[in-house]
């Protein structure tokens, strides 16, 4: 069971590191930049995509509302960040989260084979 009604931006640590290196050469940056992969997804979307990439049965993943879990801290329903400031400053936003996840899944499969 995975939460399906809260939306965010899954972000690859590798993609974020590459992004930080890219912008570190910029002389003038706006005060706020959002370093997240493009696109958006719920945790449910994310887990189904990962299952699919790993060849697992995506039907094993079932959606539930966030209220199904009692959490100590509340989370926003939508935590998608804008890349408008990047584009306005000539900086290419990070690639789609699914591409970052695909790279990660490939590493998992390669590690498993070793």
């Amino acid at each position: 069971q995975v939460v399906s009604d809260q939306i965010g931006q899954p972000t690859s640590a590798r993609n974020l590191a590459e992004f930080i290196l890219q912008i570190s050469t910029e002389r003038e940056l706006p005060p706020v930049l959002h370093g997240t992969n493009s696109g958006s997804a719920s945790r449910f979307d994310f887990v189904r995509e990962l299952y699919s990439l790993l060849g697992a049965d995506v039907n094993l993943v079932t959606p539930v509302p966030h209220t199904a879990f009692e959490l100590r801290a509340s989370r926003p329903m939508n935590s998608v960040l804008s890349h408008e400031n990047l584009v306005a400053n000539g900086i290419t936003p990070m690639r789609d989260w699914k591409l970052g996840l695909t790279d990660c899944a490939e590493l998992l499969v390669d590690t498993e084979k070793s």
Side-chain angles (χ1 to χ4, degrees):
Q1 293 183 328
V2 186
V3 174
S4 62
D5 62 352
Q6 292 176 322
I7 307 300
Q9 285 174 302
T11 300
S12 159
R14 182 180 198 156
N15 291 169
L16 180 56
E18 291 166 347
F19 176 76
I20 291 169
L21 285 173
Q22 173 195 341
I23 66 169
S24 69
T25 61
E26 300 290 328
R27 291 184 181 251
E28 295 200 24
L29 292 171
V32 176
L33 293 176
H34 294 148
T36 59
N37 278 112
S38 297
S40 61
S42 67
R43 286 178 179 80
F44 170 74
D45 299 326
F46 180 84
V47 173
R48 279 184 59 100
E49 183 70 18
L50 181 59
Y51 269 49
S52 176
L53 291 169
L54 296 176
D57 182 359
V58 296
N59 295 315
L60 295 174
V61 185
T62 56
V64 295
H66 72 282
T67 55
F69 300 101
E70 189 173 325
L71 302 174
R72 291 185 183 187
S74 63
R75 297 177 189 257
M77 296 302 289
N78 185 332
S79 60
V80 176
L81 300 174
S82 170
H83 296 143
E84 182 178 305
N85 213 5
L86 294 174
V87 174
N89 286 278
I91 300 169
T92 303
M94 292 167 56
R95 64 191 187 150
D96 190 270
W97 68 269
K98 288 182 181 181
L99 298 173
L101 182 60
T102 299
D103 290 347
C104 184
E106 288 171 359
L107 287 172
L108 288 172
V109 170
D110 289 345
T111 301
E112 190 67 26
K113 290 178 182 176
S114 299

